[in-house]
Amino acid sequence: MTTKKPFQLTLAILKPHVVKNPFALQNIREMILSNDIKIVRTQRTIISQKLAEKFYEEHKGKFFYNRLTTFMSSGPSDIHILTAPDVIAKWRKLLGPTKCYQTQFSDPNTIRGMFGLSDTRNAGHGSDSEESAAREISVFFSDFKIKDWYENEEIHFETGNLKFDKDLFVHLINKNIVGDSK
């Protein structure tokens, strides 16, 4: 008997140079969907310099910190909460290694291998653990309560009781089928 793996949540950011490139953005979106990853919440926003500094504070003092925070506030980013079993590992595998020049040779069919331009402009971000995901989600989705999602919404993502809004690029609970599903 196989045990069903629980759904995880992770934060995904598609960086400004990707959002400005319709071809790259569409290809990445197709990669997300074709890997059976669901989009729980989404927003397109220009990350303020202050918010970028808060988000990347663990890198403060490193040589790339100013370049990274400046780039991240240079234009709109698409920020998503993603879910699937093992979504943290799944999303990071889709992203590929951080070092884009190496990734273009070692993992050319990953997001960073195809659309990364440099180590700073590496196309995307993905949380590296459940703890990081919880912290990072709270930075961009302050009203999103992880505990409430697991109690009230996770079952719909597990059962597929969803409808996909391609214009908003988000999965919504299909209330026409369920009503109140508790």
Side-chain angles (χ1 to χ4, degrees):
M1 181 175 166
T2 59
T3 47
K4 192 171 159 187
K5 292 186 178 185
F7 274 55
Q8 285 181 322
L9 296 168
T10 195
L11 185 84
I13 300 176
L14 301 181
K15 295 185 177 183
H17 73 284
V18 168
V19 173
K20 291 177 187 174
N21 179 338
F23 174 79
L25 185 61
Q26 184 58 37
N27 274 276
I28 293 168
R29 286 178 167 188
E30 287 172 8
M31 289 173 78
I32 291 169
L33 296 173
S34 68
N35 279 275
D36 203 27
I37 296 174
K38 305 292 188 241
I39 301 87
V40 175
R41 301 286 189 284
T42 189
Q43 66 172 307
R44 176 170 289 174
T45 189
I46 297 175
I47 300 169
S48 69
Q49 182 74 28
K50 184 177 179 178
L51 190 57
E53 289 169 359
K54 176 182 178 182
F55 186 75
Y56 289 107
E57 70 186 341
E58 69 188 68
H59 298 300
K60 194 171 188 166
K62 295 181 182 173
F63 74 94
F64 58 85
Y65 176 76
N66 287 335
R67 183 176 60 218
L68 178 60
T69 57
T70 300
F71 169 64
M72 290 303 293
S73 59
S74 69
S77 292
D78 280 0
I79 306 169
H80 308 295
I81 301 173
L82 305 177
T83 194
D86 293 326
V87 75
I88 293 170
K90 194 180 237 188
W91 174 241
R92 288 178 66 85
K93 184 176 180 180
L94 274 176
L95 279 173
T98 308
K99 305 242 179 253
C100 289
Y101 295 123
Q102 292 172 340
T103 302
Q104 291 170 357
F105 295 99
S106 66
D107 298 270
N109 295 320
T110 63
I111 292 167
R112 289 175 174 152
M114 291 185 282
F115 305 112
L117 303 175
S118 69
D119 294 350
T120 304
R121 296 170 188 229
N122 63 6
H125 168 83
S127 305
D128 62 6
S129 67
E130 288 187 11
E131 295 77 22
S132 292
R135 180 186 67 78
E136 293 172 357
I137 287 168
S138 73
V139 170
F140 292 106
F141 297 90
S142 59
D143 61 340
F144 184 82
K145 305 297 179 226
I146 291 174
K147 183 177 181 246
D148 291 348
W149 184 83
Y150 278 106
E151 289 176 2
N152 302 314
E153 295 183 42
E154 178 189 23
I155 187 70
H156 300 287
F157 285 83
E158 285 181 359
T159 61
N161 179 35
L162 304 169
K163 57 184 176 184
F164 180 68
D165 186 320
K166 69 179 182 118
D167 295 326
L168 296 176
F169 193 69
V170 68
H171 288 89
L172 303 169
I173 296 170
N174 190 350
K175 298 192 190 250
N176 291 334
I177 294 175
V178 168
D180 185 32
S181 66
K182 280 200 167 184

